[in-house]
Amino acid sequence: MAVPVAVLDCDLLLYGRGQRTLDRFRLEDVTDEYLVATYGFPRRFIRYLVELLGASLTRPTQRSRAISPETQVLAALGFYTSGSFQTRMGDAMGISQASMSRCVANVTEALVERASRFIRFPQDEAAVQGLKEDFYGLAGMPGVLGVVDCTHVAIKAPNAEDLAYVNRKGLHSLNCLMVCDARGALLSAETHWPGSLPDCAVLQQAALASQFENALHKDGWLLGDSSFFLRTWLMTPLHIPETPAEYRYNMAHSATHNVIERTFRTIRSRFRCLDGSKGTLQYSPEKSSHIILACCVLHNISLEHGLDVWSSPATGHVEQPEEEYEQMESMDSEACRIRQELLLTHFS
């Protein structure tokens, strides 16, 4: 005769139903390996975030037990790096999925508030010169202040009638304009543009374009691919290279511009909520934009802490590139002159 076996709920025995403590997960109780596997980052990085964001995450509450900043940071990192609100993760920290969702919202806003501190172009001359030298060391392209490109992040449909967020592949997305340096650190990130806008239209309307048009960044240029117009501050590849110098220019341009493509892949690999493997971001466009920007801030902070930008393994689910845009022919004669001078001076 079979003997029934009772499966005991250890949490129920320890805490009583509905009486779980909200702070029973402690960093000191687990290994770095566990933290990296579960939350994507080591202990020292998590502690830094708790200190950085603590003031924003400690708010007055009517509840007898508020969720600690440490638990909020862990919940948010768990979502950013896994792409889902996992029940087991919430159970490990002693909070519900609804509480995890609130934690993600709180940490996201705290990171967005600090975005300008961590994502910015260098201002002093020595740092700007170092930026150019780093890029020149990649493939011999002079004067580069950053490489620019757009990437789409899938979001849920805002509503059935709104086609502004439907991209060329028929999917709802945000088109995110970013610039990075030679290490992969982001210098600019505009994550709110509707997916229906082509890359050239995004740049035309972006704050980034205004900065360069107003000569806030002098004596250099960005590198962009053929989806952008050639400008005095934005060097693009030649559509049909003919001379050896033009081929050399295009090869150096491609090798240098590849840094941002690798950066996009790394960000998606580290922050799986962006790569689409667990579905689209289930938030409004505004909240989705903030989550993307929060991940960008974390990406730069991780670089500052010595976490190698290229160390994350590639994931199997990577965004397929958008269809090729028509070659953007520039009508800017001064931009054409600058590019031709660059060809003659450095690639002939």
Side-chain angles (χ1 to χ4, degrees):
M1 176 175 152
V3 179
V5 177
V7 178
L8 299 180
D9 184 337
C10 295
D11 284 332
L12 181 59
L13 288 176
L14 289 172
Y15 305 102
R17 189 173 303 280
Q19 297 299 319
R20 291 176 178 171
T21 174
L22 296 180
D23 290 325
R24 65 186 176 87
F25 184 95
R26 299 193 309 164
L27 289 178
E28 293 76 14
D29 295 339
V30 295
T31 65
D32 251 13
E33 289 75 13
Y34 173 84
L35 291 172
V36 172
T38 308
Y39 304 104
F41 294 94
R43 190 186 326 272
R44 61 183 175 83
F45 182 87
I46 295 171
R47 282 178 172 158
Y48 171 81
L49 287 182
V50 172
E51 181 178 347
L52 174 70
L53 308 178
S56 298
L57 302 179
T58 306
R59 296 189 173 98
T61 177
Q62 298 300 316
R63 302 175 184 179
S64 60
R65 295 170 298 162
I67 301 176
S68 70
E70 181 179 283
T71 299
Q72 291 185 64
V73 167
L74 288 170
L77 291 179
F79 169 71
Y80 297 147
T81 58
S82 73
S84 66
F85 294 111
Q86 299 175 8
T87 302
R88 288 178 58 190
M89 190 179 298
D91 286 345
M93 293 182 290
I95 62 175
S96 66
Q97 285 186 286
S99 293
M100 285 193 66
S101 182
R102 288 193 295 272
C103 292
V104 171
N106 292 342
V107 173
T108 295
E109 291 311 306
L111 287 167
V112 167
E113 289 170 3
R114 293 159 175 79
S116 60
R117 170 178 168 183
F118 293 100
I119 302 176
R120 64 187 188 279
F121 280 90
Q123 298 300 317
D124 62 278
E125 291 186 13
V128 171
Q129 185 59 33
L131 197 63
K132 295 179 184 178
E133 290 174 358
D134 288 345
F135 274 118
Y136 187 81
L138 295 178
M141 181 69 76
V144 180
L145 298 173
V147 288
V148 60
D149 208 348
C150 288
T151 186
H152 286 254
V153 176
I155 63 172
K156 73 173 183 178
N159 59 62
E161 291 76 27
D162 191 352
L163 299 179
Y165 293 91
V166 179
N167 62 32
R168 291 169 64 94
K169 292 160 58 175
L171 304 174
H172 290 83
S173 68
L174 290 169
N175 195 5
C176 306
L177 178 73
M178 301 188 194
V179 179
C180 76
D181 66 14
R183 299 182 306 129
L186 295 172
L187 305 173
S188 176
E190 299 185 35
T191 59
H192 62 284
W193 297 103
S196 64
L197 287 179
D199 294 359
C200 59
V202 169
L203 180 60
Q204 184 175 356
Q205 301 176 50
L208 177 70
S210 298
Q211 292 175 19
F212 276 86
E213 292 287 0
N214 294 326
L216 294 182
H217 307 289
K218 300 178 181 179
D219 303 321
W221 39 71
L222 301 176
L223 293 188
D225 63 21
S226 58
S227 64
F228 299 110
F229 286 108
L230 176 70
R231 304 191 186 191
T232 56
W233 48 267
L234 177 63
M235 294 293 103
T236 60
L238 290 146
H239 182 34
I240 304 177
E242 296 178 349
T243 67
E246 290 175 345
Y247 276 103
R248 284 192 289 270
Y249 167 84
N250 270 14
M251 290 178 65
H253 187 291
S254 177
T256 307
H257 188 266
N258 184 55
V259 173
I260 192 149
E261 296 167 6
R262 293 176 67 192
T263 300
F264 286 158
R265 290 195 297 269
T266 298
I267 291 173
R268 290 178 178 278
S269 174
R270 178 166 279 161
F271 303 106
R272 299 293 297 276
C273 67
L274 307 182
D275 78 348
S277 63
K278 298 294 177 66
T280 61
L281 284 174
Q282 296 297 303
Y283 298 92
S284 67
E286 181 182 9
K287 289 184 178 179
S288 295
S289 169
H290 286 185
I291 288 173
I292 300 166
L293 184 55
C295 291
C296 291
V297 173
L298 288 172
H299 168 79
N300 274 15
I301 296 176
S302 69
L303 275 181
E304 288 188 7
H305 281 71
L307 301 178
D308 187 3
V309 67
W310 313 126
S311 64
S312 298
T315 61
H317 189 103
V318 178
E319 177 197 55
Q320 295 300 311
E322 289 289 297
E323 296 176 29
E324 287 288 332
Y325 295 117
E326 293 183 14
Q327 179 70 26
M328 296 292 134
E329 295 295 345
S330 176
M331 302 302 291
D332 188 335
S333 59
E334 178 63 11
C336 292
R337 184 196 66 77
I338 292 174
R339 185 171 65 179
Q340 187 62 28
E341 183 178 311
L342 178 61
L343 276 163
L344 294 174
T345 305
H346 293 278
F347 296 97
S348 295

